[in-house]
Amino acid sequence: MKRRAGEREKELKKKKLLEELGENRLPYLTPADADFHQLWKTKYSKLIFRKSDTIPEELHQTVQESFLTLREHNCFFQDLVRIKGKDFLTPVSRILIGKPGCTYKYLNTRLFTVPWPTERYDIKYCSPQIHDACKALMRLNDYLHIETVKALQGQNLFENKEIKDTSVIDRKQNFATSHTEQGSVSKDQSSLCVPEDDKSLENRTSYNLTLLNYMDPLQMLYLKQEPYFGMGNMAVSWHHDENLVERSAVAVYSYSCEDSAVQESNEQELKGRDPAVWHVGLKVAWDIETPGLAVPLHQGDIYLMLDDLNMTHQHCVLAGLSPRFSSTHRVADSSRGTLEYILGQCELALQNLQTDSDSMALSLKSLEAAVVKQGEEIHNEVEFEWLRQFWFQGKRYLKCTDWWLKPMAKLEEFWRKLEIMTSLVLSEVRKEQQIEEQRNETISCFLLILKERQKLRKEWRARCQSDAAESLPEDQKPECHPFWTDDDECNMPLPYDLEEVIAYLQNLVQWIE
């Protein structure tokens, strides 16, 4: 409900902004404009740029090879995301790589990490090349973490001493607050110390995953036009990055496959940004007073969005003409998005299930409304936030590794037990021996959760059978699993008929009232 309210609020703000603009367009600046650097310094100072020639050549080589390897192995996928109740195929193809067991959710779609090599984890990759690609991206992650800590410490130092911000200087010198020395990636980088009294700095810069993006604009039939400034074709619309640790940084490595076939235009002759070159666009969120920025991105450039920039500003990606990869490193909110978390939730719910030592019959320890509510909400979370999300994406993850199959089998085993617990709750509420007040409270909360489950099952079933899902390649189409379909269609019959249960409980509530 909160998510939907947030979406409605965004739509209203967007509509109001476009109405205020009418046929006009807001101004925006590029490096060719005289006031570009002053605007960056005063309104966008938490955007930090690193020119490609300040980054170790060895790192460039391994990272760029990893992009090409993943593309050659067909590891980039367009996501079927859900916006305002409709499914859309993203123009950008993506893959999530990161810590084992991490996930990242955007536009109602949960992506699951292809795990990078990690000690104590048995990760079998489909090829040595994919292993090497994941390892290279983990090294880039470490490098960007250190660069981000340096940038934040540098900004804090400047602010504390009230020194004039020098984060924006001419591209020919560098867009960065401080020059990054060229050279190899040093193992000593990991020894950079974060002050013990500033653990929040560490928490806000320890990237736990990277969302890789790839798009070839010339292969796209249609790209949205940027609506506020007239910046041209967008690969990614204006947005805040979702589901991140509050005030955490985002680091982006950009690699556009520039060659002789794509020539940059003479910027002197252009009004606005060069449409042949990829740019990142920034604007102050829901503001029509402050001009926007369009910063060109060349092969191997890096930019950092520090502190609360992702909250106070919005960004978009403006397409050039050449194919482009990017690696976007994030501190994903892991409070509800890790395998460890959801397994713990399942264990918590199953604490209310007991087995008779003699008959081996299953029963519930408690029928208190709060306990029942907790168990049934976890049941919904496992099914709709994990199992259905994973199998909705087909066999895509098997292109890289089978690592997620065992955890998903474990979650499915938990889900079966949770289904049994639902049937046990139903059996108990049909009895009349309970205290009437407690029974009525349990029935009311139980009914609400089952209605939500029924609604979501219908919604997911429709998504799986939609034209958009049917248009996907075979290995990316939603997988048929027991919980995808109704009882009469699945191999493993559910212990109850959900529609019949809801009808029975509704009648019971009416009788009680």
Side-chain angles (χ1 to χ4, degrees), residues 9 132 176 207 215 238 252 270 314 344 382 406 427:
E9 185 182 356
D132 294 344
Y207 305 120
M215 195 179 83
W238 290 107
V252 181
L270 286 172
Q314 291 173 301
V382 173
K406 284 185 179 178
S427 297

Side-chain angles (χ1 to χ4, degrees), residues 329-430:
H329 298 250
R330 304 150 192 258
V331 189
D333 180 5
S334 58
S335 62
R336 299 175 67 90
T338 64
L339 179 62
E340 181 182 14
Y341 159 79
I342 195 60
L343 290 174
Q345 288 293 96
C346 291
E347 295 285 2
L348 179 63
L350 291 173
Q351 287 178 9
N352 195 36
L353 185 66
Q354 61 186 354
T355 306
D356 185 273
S357 57
D358 296 325
S359 66
M360 302 305 291
L362 295 171
S363 62
L364 299 174
K365 294 178 183 176
S366 170
L367 276 171
E368 288 183 21
V371 176
V372 170
K373 182 174 183 287
Q374 180 187 63
E376 295 303 318
E377 285 178 342
I378 291 171
H379 183 162
N380 280 4
E381 186 176 15
V382 173
E383 180 172 340
F384 302 112
E385 289 294 330
W386 290 82
L387 290 171
R388 288 184 183 267
Q389 289 275 6
F390 183 82
W391 292 113
F392 184 69
Q393 296 168 51
K395 297 185 176 76
R396 62 158 67 178
Y397 295 103
L398 294 178
K399 293 268 188 180
C400 299
T401 177
D402 64 357
W403 189 85
W404 277 99
L405 293 185
K406 284 185 179 178
M408 285 299 141
K410 184 67 175 175
L411 287 177
E412 190 174 327
E413 180 185 332
F414 280 138
W415 174 82
R416 287 189 175 99
K417 291 180 180 178
L418 292 168
E419 281 287 310
I420 291 169
M421 290 179 70
T422 298
S423 67
L424 290 172
V425 175
L426 178 62
S427 297
E428 291 299 323
V429 298
R430 280 178 165 148

Side-chain angles (χ1 to χ4, degrees), residues 151-409:
L152 277 168
Q153 289 175 334
Q155 280 216 336
N156 292 340
L157 183 65
F158 287 139
E159 289 169 6
N160 293 341
K161 293 185 176 181
E162 296 182 348
I163 293 176
K164 184 179 179 182
D165 186 352
T166 59
S167 66
V168 184
I169 56 177
D170 192 276
R171 178 181 172 80
K172 291 179 182 177
Q173 299 171 8
N174 193 359
F175 278 133
T177 51
S178 60
H179 186 76
T180 303
E181 294 293 331
Q182 296 186 51
S184 61
V185 184
S186 169
K187 292 180 181 177
D188 293 337
Q189 285 179 325
S190 60
S191 65
L192 182 75
C193 290
V194 178
E196 287 187 16
D197 60 348
D198 195 6
K199 289 300 181 184
S200 69
L201 181 64
E202 177 75 11
N203 294 337
R204 293 187 289 121
T205 59
S206 295
Y207 305 120
N208 50 13
L209 50 81
T210 176
L211 183 61
L212 271 61
N213 306 285
Y214 172 73
M215 195 179 83
D216 182 352
L218 299 182
Q219 299 299 315
M220 303 305 298
L221 296 175
Y222 168 77
L223 287 174
K224 275 187 180 179
Q225 293 295 298
E226 193 285 311
Y228 306 117
F229 302 90
M231 291 177 173
N233 290 337
M234 293 190 299
V236 181
S237 301
W238 290 107
H239 67 288
H240 305 276
D241 287 333
E242 301 178 68
N243 293 308
L244 305 180
V245 168
E246 187 176 0
R247 293 180 63 204
S248 63
V250 177
V252 181
Y253 180 97
S254 181
Y255 173 50
S256 47
C257 307
E258 299 161 0
D259 56 32
S260 57
V262 178
Q263 298 292 332
E264 286 189 43
S265 306
N266 185 338
E267 292 191 19
Q268 301 291 330
E269 300 172 3
L270 286 172
K271 287 186 177 180
R273 68 121 180 165
D274 185 343
V277 177
W278 286 80
H279 289 67
V280 58
L282 284 102
K283 70 182 181 74
V284 179
W286 315 116
D287 178 294
I288 62 171
E289 304 296 330
T290 307
L293 276 191
V295 184
L297 299 171
H298 293 278
Q299 197 173 77
D301 287 345
I302 284 173
Y303 62 91
L304 312 173
M305 294 188 290
L306 302 181
D307 195 46
D308 62 351
L309 184 72
N310 182 54
M311 300 161 61
T312 59
H313 294 61
Q314 291 173 301
H315 59 282
C316 70
V317 181
L318 303 162
L321 296 180
S322 58
R324 174 183 177 262
F325 298 91
S326 68
S327 183
T328 62
H329 298 250
R330 304 150 192 258
V331 189
D333 180 5
S334 58
S335 62
R336 299 175 67 90
T338 64
L339 179 62
E340 181 182 14
Y341 159 79
I342 195 60
L343 290 174
Q345 288 293 96
C346 291
E347 295 285 2
L348 179 63
L350 291 173
Q351 287 178 9
N352 195 36
L353 185 66
Q354 61 186 354
T355 306
D356 185 273
S357 57
D358 296 325
S359 66
M360 302 305 291
L362 295 171
S363 62
L364 299 174
K365 294 178 183 176
S366 170
L367 276 171
E368 288 183 21
V371 176
V372 170
K373 182 174 183 287
Q374 180 187 63
E376 295 303 318
E377 285 178 342
I378 291 171
H379 183 162
N380 280 4
E381 186 176 15
V382 173
E383 180 172 340
F384 302 112
E385 289 294 330
W386 290 82
L387 290 171
R388 288 184 183 267
Q389 289 275 6
F390 183 82
W391 292 113
F392 184 69
Q393 296 168 51
K395 297 185 176 76
R396 62 158 67 178
Y397 295 103
L398 294 178
K399 293 268 188 180
C400 299
T401 177
D402 64 357
W403 189 85
W404 277 99
L405 293 185
K406 284 185 179 178
M408 285 299 141

Side-chain angles (χ1 to χ4, degrees), residues 80-92:
L80 198 55
V81 297
R82 195 156 184 84
I83 305 172
K84 292 187 286 185
K86 295 181 179 179
D87 287 330
F88 296 92
L89 206 57
T90 57
V92 176

